[in-house]
Each structure stands twice: as C-alpha cells, then as structure tokens.
Amino acid sequence: MSRKGWRMASLLVIPALAIWLGSASEGVGVAKAESVAATTEASALNTITVGASGSVSVNPDIAHINVAVETRGPTAGEAQQANATKFAALEKVLYEQYKIDKKDVKTTGFSVYAEYNYTEKEGRVLTGYAAVHSLQVNYRKLDEIGKLVDALTAAGANRIDGIQFATEKSEQYELEALKKAMDNAKAKADTLAAAAGRQVKGVLNIVQGNVTSPPVFAQNAAKVMLESAAGFSTSVQAGQIVIEVSVTVQYQM
C-alpha cells in the first residue's frame, strides 16, 4: 500500500475508534448510574427514620420584673420632674435596700407626652402632660419577689407591667432534654424494627429540631398591683419551666 493510501486508511480508523470509545464510555456511565441508583434504593430499604422529643421541667432561678413610674403635671417639665423624684426613690430601694447590681436593672422605655380631653363642644383640649419611665429588674431571690414589689410600690412605682420567670441554665437543661429525645428516638426505632423482624444497627443521620421554652408569667400584673397598693403582702408563685427539644434520627437496619 502506498504512503498516501495508508494515511487515508488511518484517518478512517481513528474516527471509528473514537465512536467506539464514546459508546463504551457512555455504556459505563449508564451502568454506573444504574448501580448508584440500585445502591441508594437498597440503602433506603435498610434504614428507618423516626422523630422524637425530650423535655425537662425545672424550677426557675431568675425573675424579670417590669415596673414603671407614671407621673403627670400641667407642663412637660413638671411631669418629668415629678417622675425623676419618684424614680430616685426607686433607685434607693433597688441599689441600697435590696443591693441589686446595676447590670441587672435596665431602662426599657422613657416618654413624655401630652394628654387631651375630647368634648363635642370644645373638641380637643390639652389637659396636661404625662411622663413614664419603665424598668426591667432581674432578681434571683425568688422567694422575696413579693417583698420587692411591695417596696417598689411604696417608693412610687405605680405600674407593674409583668413578672416573667426564666432560667440562666438553659444550655445545661437543653442538653438533658436532648439526651431524653435521643433515648426516645432509639426506643421508637427498636420497636418499629422489631415489628418488621429487623434490628437497629447504628445511627446514620441526626437532625436537631427547635428548642421550645415557653415563658412562665406570674399572676395577673394588675392583681399584683392592687394587692400591693391595698397594703397586702404580695404573693408571687413561680411555677416550673418546661424545656423541650425535638430530633429526627435515621438508623441503619
């Protein structure tokens, strides 16, 4: 065969080889995809997924007491001055009488606004001004909350906007609840696997759900205010806090 003929034959062979290799590669790819799909399906048949929750009930160790001083005057300046005087008395109770750290007391609101009266004859008539200074007090001696509320009321606090109980050990209690959730998940998986004639072998995947800890509020704030203002010794019950977590666990069978 001449050199020219040999070259033409080579050119014809190379495309044919490329087509063959491409077909072979495509076949390998399809086979691999089918194999992966079969493996995935087999894995799914050998797993079990359950959802479970765990909770702990604990006693609160801190209270957030929301109080306010509300004063009025014919002018904005007089209303504000009257408020400042009463507020100074509150600070003495908090810092001197009850030795509360200043980091546990924060202002949550301060406002001075005009007040009006509406009549058909005169329309809107200015009647004076009001000043409101609101505080949140963090207090840890829960058995003395009633006494503190009484002392604040006597010093000039004329609004109790709510008492909320909480815990400063939430992370510790969350871990306890998580352990209970995992124990419950394992019990569910074992029960389901046994019913199917199978056995749980190990954990493949864990997803933690939300952590819930609904706030616990004291009795109606208006009732607390009335009891204190009437001279009764205010009684406040803390109750318990429930911390709950959920998990979704996938096991191999």
Side-chain angles (χ1 to χ4, degrees), residues 113-159:
Y113 57 90
E115 293 187 314
Y116 297 90
N117 186 28
Y118 295 86
T119 64
E120 292 184 5
K121 182 179 180 180
E122 299 178 329
R124 189 175 77 163
V125 178
L126 178 67
T127 58
Y129 292 83
V132 181
H133 194 159
S134 303
L135 282 180
Q136 183 180 83
V137 181
N138 299 326
Y139 197 56
R140 295 172 181 81
K141 297 179 180 179
L142 302 190
D143 56 340
E144 295 184 10
I145 290 178
K147 294 179 181 179
L148 175 59
V149 169
D150 293 340
L152 291 174
T153 302
N158 47 16
R159 270 177 41 189

Side-chain angles (χ1 to χ4, degrees), residues 218-234:
Q219 65 194 74
N220 184 275
K223 184 179 178 182
V224 172
M225 191 75 246
L226 287 172
E227 286 181 354
S228 185
F232 296 109
S233 179
T234 304

Side-chain angles (χ1 to χ4, degrees), residues 47-55 176-194 199-209 244-253:
T47 63
I48 182 171
T49 303
V50 298
S53 62
S55 64
E176 293 179 19
L178 275 172
K179 186 179 183 305
K180 288 188 176 182
M182 288 299 295
D183 290 342
N184 291 337
K186 181 62 165 56
K188 284 185 177 182
D190 286 339
T191 300
L192 290 171
Q199 186 175 0
V200 172
K201 295 180 180 178
V203 176
L204 294 176
N205 187 44
I206 303 173
V207 177
Q208 180 185 332
E244 184 174 18
V245 299
S246 61
V247 293
T248 301
V249 188
Q250 184 182 49
Y251 295 91
Q252 182 181 14
M253 293 192 297

